[in-house]
Amino acid sequence: MIVYGTREEEANPRERLASLRRLLFEARAASPPAQHDQIVELLIAFGELEAAVVDALCPEADANPALARRLRQAAVLIAHAFFHSWTGQTARARAWLLKADAALGRVSAGELPASVVLRVAEGYAYYGLYPECYLESAARFFRELRPTAAVCIGIRSIGTSLCAVVAAVLEELGCDVWSCTVRPRGHPFQRRLVLSTRFAEELSGCSSRYALVVDEGPGLSGSSLAAVAEKAAELGFPDGRIILFPSWEPPGEALLSESARARWSRHRKYTTSFEAVWIESGRLARSLPQGELLDLSAGRWRALFYDGDADYPAVQPQHERRKYLLRGASDAPAESAPLLVKFAGLGRYGKTALARGERLAAAGFGPPVLGLAQGFLLASFVPGRPLAASGVDAELLDAVGRYIAFVARAFPASRPVPFDEIMEMIRVNTEEGLGPGWTGALRALGPMRREVCARPTVAIDGRMLPHEWLRTPQGYLKTDGVDHHADHFFPGCQDIAWDIAGAILEFDLDTAAQAALLARYQTSARDRTVAPVLPFYCIAYAAYRLGYATLASQALGQGAEAARWRALAARYASRLRQLLASAPGT
C-alpha cells in the first residue's frame, strides 16, 4: 500500500545560505528566551541545507570532500551556540554565532551546487523530536564513559543537525571529536552504507575512538542505524565502542530488519525522552500560561467528547501529534478557558502552522489561536460536539462548502498536480486492496490527465473527517486544519477537489447533498471547472484511505483500535469498488 507522499523542495544553496546568515544575525541580537528559539530554527534549517548539499556531492557513495567538511564545521559551531543558549549563557551563544557566521561566509565563498533538493526534517516537523534531548544524551554518555576522543557520525537527513549537537556537547566537555555525515542506501528494510575508499580509510584510521551513530530512528526496520554500525565494525571499531544515539529505544525483536535485530543488542544506546526534558523538568509548563497539563495524545482526547469507547472514531496513535489540554490553575478565575496545546513543529514549521491557524481563526473557520510556544500551537479549546457521518444538515453543507472555498482562495500552492504519483498510488492500493481484477478499470482515468493537470494546487486541509468538525453554539467549526497538507502522507499540496471528494466520502453524502456542497463551494470559490475532475479525486481519495486504514489495522494488530480500522478499510474498499464500477468510460 502507498500512503506516503513526497515532501521535497528545490533550492538555491547560495540564496539559502544568505537567508540563514540573516537569521543568524537576528539570533545574535536577540535576548533569552527568543534567542534560543531562533538558534533552534537556525540549527534545523542549516542541517537541512547541509544534508541536501552533501547528498548532491555524494550521489553514489558517501565521501568527505572539502565542502562537506566546511559545512560540518559550521554546523558544529551553530550547535555550540545552541548548547549555550539552552543553558542561558547568552554572551557565549553570541560568541559562537559569530564564529559560525564566519564559517558560513567561507562556505558561501566557495563553489556550491547550482541547485539542491531539501528534505523535510520529519522529526522536527511532525513527531515532536527536540534536539535538546540529544544534549542530555551526549552529556550522560560523557559522564558514564569519560571518552577522550570520538567519531560522531550523523545519518542524513535529520541526523545531520542532531550529530552536530552531540559533537558540540562533547567538545564543550573536553572530548576530541571528528564529525561527519552519511546516508545509508537501498531498500528501506535493507539499508547499506557505501563509502568512497578515501572516506573509509579516514574512518578506519579513527577506530581507536568511540564511534557515535546519531539519528532520529529507529523506524520500523532500524536498518539505517544498523547499516552504519555494521560498517563501523567492518572498519575496525569494536562493538563495545560503537554507541547508538536514537530518539527512542524499542525492543530489538520489534525491528523488522534482521540485521538491525542482530545489531540492536550489541551496542550501548543513549536516549532521553521528551517527557524528561520538557514535562518532568517543568520547562514546557513554564513557557505556557499557568495551569495544569492533561495529556491528550494518542487518542486520549476522545474521552473528553464521547460517552464510551464504542463511539470512538479510529485513530492511529503513532501518527497523532503530541497534544495537551491546559486547564486553569486552582487559583485562576473560574471563567479561565482551557487551551489546546498541540505540537505544530519546530522552527519554520511551527511558524507556518501559526500563520495558517491565525488566518483560519480570523475567517471564523478555526478555533482562536493564541500563539506558539516551544513548537506547540496554543489555541482555545472550544466546547462542542464532534460530528458523525450521519450528522449532515443544510447548515453543515454550507459551512463545509464555504470552508473549502476559503482554503482554495487563501492557500494557493506552486506544486504542479502530481498526476503520475496519484495514479501509482491508486494502482497499488487498488491492486492490493481489491485484487488485480480491478486494475483494468483504472484505464478510464488516464484520459483525464489533461483536465486534472490543468488545475491549480492548494495547501489543502487534507482531513475532512467528520469528527474534526465541531458543532458549537456559534455554528460549525473545523479543527486540526493547519498542517495535514504538509505532513508526509498523501495528499500534500493538491487540487482542492481532494477536499471536496473527502467531504463527499467521509460524510457519505447522497446525490442531493453532493450537489448542495458543490454548489456552495462553486459560488464561494468561483470555480467552474472542478466538477469534471471530481470522479478522479473521489477514486484517489478512496484508494488512499483504503491503504491507510489497511496499514493502520495491520500495525495495531489486535484490539478495539485495530478493529475500528478494519471496519473502515472494508468501508473504503466498498466505496472504491462502487466508484471504479461507475467511473467514466468503464
Side-chain angles (χ1 to χ4, degrees):
M1 295 289 189
I2 294 177
V3 298
Y4 294 97
T6 302
R7 299 293 180 272
E8 296 178 342
E9 174 189 355
E10 190 170 341
N12 180 310
R14 202 171 298 281
E15 292 176 357
R16 192 56 61 100
L17 277 169
S19 68
L20 290 175
R21 294 185 77 179
R22 290 192 292 272
L23 178 59
L24 187 150
F25 178 80
E26 293 172 2
R28 284 182 57 204
S31 301
Q35 182 195 61
H36 184 70
D37 293 342
Q38 290 175 323
I39 294 176
V40 168
E41 183 175 358
L42 176 65
L43 177 79
I44 293 170
F46 184 78
E48 290 176 334
L49 178 62
E50 179 187 0
V53 172
V54 179
D55 279 343
L57 296 176
C58 307
E60 304 296 333
D62 283 306
N64 195 32
L67 177 56
R69 295 195 297 272
R70 288 196 294 271
L71 288 163
R72 190 88 292 248
Q73 180 191 34
V76 175
L77 292 171
I78 293 169
H80 276 278
F82 168 75
F83 171 85
H84 287 293
S85 66
W86 175 248
T87 55
Q89 301 175 82
T90 305
R92 290 189 177 184
R94 288 172 177 158
W96 281 103
L97 287 173
L98 187 62
K99 295 178 183 179
D101 185 56
L104 293 181
R106 290 191 290 272
V107 172
S108 299
E111 187 174 346
L112 289 165
S115 178
V116 296
V117 177
L118 299 179
R119 302 187 184 189
V120 170
E122 294 179 359
Y124 300 142
Y126 313 140
Y127 296 129
L129 177 62
Y130 283 73
E132 291 87 353
C133 295
Y134 284 71
L135 288 174
E136 175 54 34
S137 293
R140 185 155 42 86
F141 160 71
F142 184 86
R143 290 194 301 269
E144 291 182 4
L145 299 184
R146 295 293 174 180
T148 58
V151 176
C152 203
I153 307 170
I155 299 178
R156 301 193 297 271
S157 295
I158 194 171
T160 307
S161 52
L162 295 174
C163 173
V165 168
V166 172
V169 173
L170 295 179
E171 286 183 347
E172 289 283 345
L173 296 172
C175 182
D176 179 44
V177 182
W178 184 62
S179 182
C180 60
T181 68
V182 297
R183 184 180 289 283
R185 301 158 200 269
H187 189 279
F189 288 3
Q190 296 176 326
R191 299 289 193 203
R192 59 192 181 90
L193 195 59
V194 182
L195 305 179
S196 69
T197 301
R198 182 173 179 180
F199 193 19
E201 290 173 349
E202 288 178 326
L203 283 169
S204 181
C206 298
S207 59
S208 61
R209 298 175 174 230
Y210 282 94
L212 314 183
V213 185
V214 187
D215 193 26
E216 72 169 313
L220 289 175
S221 73
S223 66
S224 291
L225 282 161
V228 180
E230 286 178 357
K231 181 60 70 173
E234 289 176 17
L235 295 175
F237 291 88
D239 282 352
R241 297 179 75 84
I242 299 173
I243 312 295
L244 306 183
F245 282 77
S247 63
W248 68 304
E249 194 171 340
E253 60 271 17
L255 301 175
L256 299 182
S257 164
E258 182 179 350
S259 61
R261 291 195 298 271
R263 277 278 157 199
W264 198 244
S265 61
R266 295 187 192 180
H267 307 298
R268 189 188 293 252
K269 293 164 282 289
Y270 285 87
T271 63
T272 304
S273 70
F274 169 86
E275 286 72 20
V277 173
W278 289 98
I279 301 299
E280 295 164 13
S281 68
R283 284 183 181 272
L284 181 61
R286 289 195 293 273
S287 66
L288 300 172
Q290 186 180 19
E292 175 192 6
L293 285 175
L294 175 66
D295 191 354
L296 301 183
S297 308
R300 297 183 186 93
W301 56 269
R302 293 174 294 185
L304 298 179
F305 295 102
Y306 298 95
D307 296 331
D309 58 8
D311 299 324
Y312 283 5
V315 302
Q316 165 45 301
Q318 297 163 338
H319 295 162
E320 281 209 344
R321 298 194 182 218
R322 186 178 280 115
K323 58 181 73 71
Y324 301 91
L325 181 67
L326 180 64
R327 298 183 291 199
S330 58
D331 58 348
E335 63 269 22
S336 178
L339 301 179
L340 180 65
V341 180
K342 178 186 174 185
F343 181 76
L346 300 178
R348 64 185 174 94
Y349 301 110
K351 289 181 176 179
T352 301
L354 172 63
R356 181 169 174 132
E358 290 174 335
R359 290 195 69 180
L360 291 174
F365 292 113
V369 173
L370 282 73
L372 194 69
Q374 308 299 341
F376 283 84
L377 190 67
L378 279 61
S380 295
F381 190 81
V382 179
R385 183 77 178 176
L387 301 185
S390 59
V392 177
D393 57 23
E395 183 185 356
L396 174 64
L397 293 173
D398 181 75
V400 173
R402 289 186 296 104
Y403 171 72
I404 296 175
F406 176 80
V407 170
R409 295 192 308 269
F411 306 114
S414 59
R415 178 196 192 197
V417 172
F419 186 84
D420 291 331
E421 182 180 332
I422 299 171
M423 283 295 296
E424 178 66 4
M425 180 273 293
I426 295 173
R427 183 192 67 78
V428 170
N429 290 9
T430 299
E431 183 172 321
E432 295 185 9
L434 304 185
W438 283 91
T439 54
L442 302 181
R443 286 193 293 268
L445 302 182
M448 300 185 71
R449 176 188 290 270
R450 178 173 294 181
E451 284 179 303
V452 169
C453 292
R455 288 178 49 80
T457 59
V458 173
I460 63 173
D461 179 289
R463 292 274 291 183
M464 301 304 292
L465 304 174
H467 63 264
E468 295 199 0
W469 285 89
L470 291 179
R471 190 191 307 272
T472 76
Q474 290 75 40
Y476 291 103
L477 199 67
K478 179 65 173 68
T479 67
D480 203 17
V482 301
D483 51 25
H484 288 292
H485 67 280
D487 64 20
H488 62 326
F489 296 101
F490 260 88
C493 291
Q494 193 60 263
D495 188 337
I496 195 65
W498 183 284
D499 277 348
I500 301 175
I504 290 171
L505 269 69
E506 296 297 351
F507 282 100
D508 198 19
L509 300 184
D510 60 24
T511 302
Q514 291 181 38
L517 171 65
L518 186 59
R520 165 46 72 190
Y521 164 76
Q522 289 179 314
T523 300
S524 299
R526 299 180 181 178
D527 178 359
R528 300 301 175 187
T529 66
V530 70
V533 302
L534 266 180
F536 174 85
Y537 281 102
C538 284
I539 290 170
Y541 185 90
Y544 162 66
R545 291 297 292 175
L546 170 59
Y548 186 93
T550 300
L551 292 180
S553 67
Q554 293 171 352
L556 293 168
Q558 302 299 319
E561 206 70 76
R564 294 186 188 102
W565 283 112
R566 283 194 293 272
L568 278 176
R571 176 174 173 267
Y572 292 126
S574 176
R575 291 304 308 272
L576 182 57
R577 290 188 192 96
Q578 296 170 7
L579 291 164
L580 289 173
S582 60
T586 56

